[in-house]
Amino acid sequence: MQPPNIADHDPDPTARDRTLRPPSVDRLLAHEALRPLIEAHGRTQVLDATRAVLGELRARVVQGCAAAADCAPGSLAAAIGARLATRDRPALRRVFNLTGTVLHTNLGRAPLPESAITALELAARHPTNLEFDLERGARGDRDELLEGVLREVTGAEAATFVNNNAAAVLLALNTLALRKEAIVSRGELVEIGGSFRIPDVMSRAGTRLREVGTTNRTHLADYEQAIGPRTRLLLKVHTSNYEVRGFTASVEQKALAGLAHAHGLPLMIDLGSGALVPLERWGLPHEPTVQEALQDGADLVSISGDKLLGGPQAGLLLGRRELIDRIKRNPLKRALRLDKLTLGALEAVVRLYRNPDRLVERLPTLRLLARRPEELEAMAVRLAPQVQSHLPSGYVAAATRCESQVGSGARPSDRLPSAGVSIRPTTRGRGEGRALTELAAALRTLPIPVIGRVVDGALVLDLRCLDDEAAFLQQLPLLHLPAREASPG
């Protein structure tokens, strides 16, 4: 005979949990344990968090999965404090970029040098001479704060600045070829991150796109045959985020400049990544520089501030004084202009280029790109055992060689020898993918989220951009992952 089911004879199944009585909202708010929270966050925020925590606790009591300690004011105050801390945590957070992509668009691109951070703080804390000429005691031009040092470094006649390189191209085309034609090779109609395409930017600028050549081959004669009475400029776009190989042909900058000038037209070159020095001196692949473009006869060059330049997000236009002056008179310039924080940081970064011999030690982007493989391999050997010690069973960490890339569209086919820590699940088959997903998610929940990349069945933490080894190791004990059984061998 089956024993009677107690629940069948108990009109109130929760009666046995009646000893677990969460305090009321008012009673808990009046408790001394919540006073520090109210002082720090305000009564309204604490009230909302208290209601949420008590609501969750009452649900657990009904389900029979709450303990008496959960109802104590101290435990509830800790839960309320944790909820408030999560709510107050900034949305923009520091992360460890261990993806192997140095200029990672999704992770903020170039880290700023200390001099730029100092300039940012000064501009944020104090009034500045943003648009005030201290010598004349009258209104000034904010571009002049940066134009002088940029002319000195690049040799350009003049320069102006907007909030990113896409805006620079938009502004230049709208100024120089509004309701007219700009000629560009079909092989250079690039799409940048976020599905922004050169043809779309040209259309929004009010410029008619005149495509010449084919995807893989464009000749000087193609440009010459397309020049007509409505042509206002020739545009050459550096295909920084892809390469076409094989049966290809493109027109050199110098030849294109000669053709443009023979027809009384300007040549604009969108360099994108924007190197200001030859990278080969640090053992890196060549990237076209602003100086090379200007020397080849370009009348206008546009670059990004937060890529190889190593500064904040910005778009820089450099070239002939007459063209820059026309661009600065465009009403769109005010809508796209830089704020004082960006100007201050950008000026500090450009000033570093006055002394190229010390650039690698002062500019974080260049320092990260130029790190030696043997330095990274030594770090990987040092860190792998410590990472392993904080992993549950079912995961194996080991030092490994890997390859980094510049990122943000610069040198897409070139790789930089690097080293890292690979974490491989011992599970094989269907469970392998799930194990990697759980590992990547757990690393993202750390106080400083760790972002790696999955390669050949392992999560690889490329150490090229790890510049705070102590902070990385300090948080590893907080890594929580369920133990996994190894696949039968």
Side-chain angles (χ1 to χ4, degrees):
M1 181 177 179
Q2 294 282 341
N5 189 331
I6 296 176
D8 293 340
H9 303 279
D10 189 352
D12 183 2
T14 65
R16 51 190 190 283
D17 291 327
R18 281 175 180 157
T19 55
L20 300 181
R21 297 180 62 87
S24 68
V25 172
D26 289 341
R27 182 179 175 188
L28 188 55
L29 284 174
H31 197 278
E32 62 180 9
L34 264 68
R35 287 177 189 167
L37 295 178
I38 293 174
E39 290 178 4
H41 301 277
R43 184 178 178 84
T44 300
Q45 295 293 315
V46 175
L47 174 61
D48 290 344
T50 299
R51 286 172 172 163
V53 168
L54 288 177
E56 293 171 356
L57 177 58
R58 292 188 186 105
R60 295 204 309 274
V61 168
V62 170
Q63 295 165 4
C65 56
D70 296 332
C71 298
S75 297
L76 290 168
I80 293 167
R83 181 176 287 267
L84 289 169
T86 300
R87 179 185 297 179
D88 287 351
R89 186 171 61 194
L92 185 66
R93 299 170 59 192
R94 175 189 177 185
V95 302
F96 281 118
N97 173 17
L98 305 187
T99 64
T101 300
V102 177
L103 297 171
H104 200 302
T105 299
N106 303 137
L107 303 182
R109 290 186 177 166
L112 295 179
E114 287 302 318
S115 59
I117 294 170
T118 299
L120 276 170
E121 184 178 2
L122 181 146
R125 288 183 180 278
H126 307 289
T128 64
N129 61 326
L130 177 64
E131 289 187 352
F132 187 80
D133 189 314
L134 294 173
E135 185 175 334
R136 296 187 299 110
R139 180 167 184 161
D141 179 355
R142 67 177 62 195
D143 281 0
E144 291 180 358
L145 299 174
L146 177 57
E147 185 181 26
V149 64
L150 200 54
R151 288 173 56 199
E152 174 189 335
V153 168
T154 65
E157 286 184 12
T160 191
F161 321 101
V162 288
N163 54 20
N164 62 27
N165 190 50
V169 175
L170 175 78
L171 181 61
L173 292 174
N174 181 264
T175 303
L176 305 178
L178 179 62
R179 293 186 290 274
K180 302 296 182 180
E181 291 182 354
I183 300 175
V184 62
S185 168
R186 283 189 177 90
E188 297 172 0
L189 297 178
V190 302
E191 177 180 310
I192 58 177
S195 298
F196 291 99
R197 299 175 173 179
I198 282 292
D200 297 336
V201 173
M202 295 179 72
S203 175
R204 290 293 182 179
T207 300
R208 184 188 173 198
L209 168 66
R210 183 72 182 270
E211 302 176 35
V212 297
T214 63
T215 303
N216 60 319
R217 292 179 70 82
T218 303
H219 304 281
L220 189 64
D222 295 320
Y223 289 94
E224 188 165 19
Q225 291 169 9
I227 294 174
R230 296 183 61 81
T231 305
R232 289 297 178 271
L233 65 84
L234 305 188
L235 175 64
K236 186 170 182 61
V237 181
H238 176 46
T239 55
S240 56
N241 60 356
Y242 71 94
E243 287 185 2
V244 179
R245 296 185 177 184
F247 187 58
T248 64
S250 61
V251 182
E252 296 293 330
Q253 294 174 166
K254 186 173 294 187
L256 199 55
L259 176 65
H261 299 160
H263 290 269
L265 300 170
L267 169 64
M268 177 177 175
I269 298 180
D270 173 11
L271 275 186
S273 297
L276 293 187
V277 290
L279 300 180
E280 296 90 325
R281 66 182 296 179
W282 296 284
L284 297 169
H286 176 74
E287 182 74 13
T289 67
V290 172
Q291 294 90 329
E292 289 170 349
L294 294 173
Q295 289 167 9
D296 284 343
D299 302 284
L300 199 60
V301 180
S302 69
I303 62 172
S304 295
D306 56 350
K307 295 184 180 180
L308 289 174
L309 182 64
Q313 178 182 300
L316 289 69
L317 282 163
L318 308 98
R320 281 172 38 202
R321 169 68 64 186
E322 180 264 332
L323 298 180
I324 295 295
D325 288 345
R326 286 173 60 188
I327 289 170
K328 292 175 68 171
R329 290 195 296 267
N330 189 324
L332 278 178
K333 173 63 165 64
R334 184 175 180 86
L336 302 172
R337 69 183 182 180
L338 292 184
D339 68 295
K340 63 178 182 178
L341 303 181
T342 307
L343 267 173
L346 189 56
E347 181 198 5
V349 170
V350 175
R351 284 183 179 276
L352 296 180
Y353 283 86
R354 284 173 161 170
N355 186 358
D357 293 336
R358 298 195 61 189
L359 197 58
V360 73
E361 63 186 83
R362 293 176 171 177
L363 192 65
T365 294
L366 186 56
R367 177 175 55 80
L368 296 175
L369 289 172
R371 291 182 89 170
R372 298 185 313 245
E374 53 269 27
E375 172 196 350
L376 299 172
E377 289 174 9
M379 192 193 308
V381 170
R382 193 166 59 245
L383 293 184
Q386 300 185 67
V387 172
Q388 180 67 68
S389 68
H390 295 290
L391 292 172
S393 60
Y395 293 95
V396 176
T400 186
R401 291 177 178 174
C402 54
E403 292 182 329
S404 305
Q405 60 182 356
V406 177
S408 291
R411 309 306 306 176
S413 299
D414 291 312
R415 295 294 181 264
L416 308 175
S418 188
V421 176
S422 71
I423 307 175
R424 191 177 298 275
T426 55
T427 306
R428 291 293 178 263
R430 286 187 216 168
E432 182 179 18
R434 182 177 177 184
L436 288 171
T437 299
E438 290 176 353
L439 172 62
L443 288 168
R444 294 196 305 270
T445 65
L446 291 174
I448 305 175
V450 176
I451 317 295
R453 74 179 189 273
V454 175
V455 181
D456 296 331
L459 183 68
V460 175
L461 306 180
D462 189 312
L463 301 177
R464 179 171 292 278
C465 293
L466 182 60
D467 56 2
D468 193 344
E469 193 175 326
F472 173 76
L473 292 173
Q474 186 177 11
Q475 64 176 2
L476 285 182
L478 302 176
L479 182 65
H480 297 298
L481 270 169
R484 307 188 68 86
E485 293 184 6
S487 299

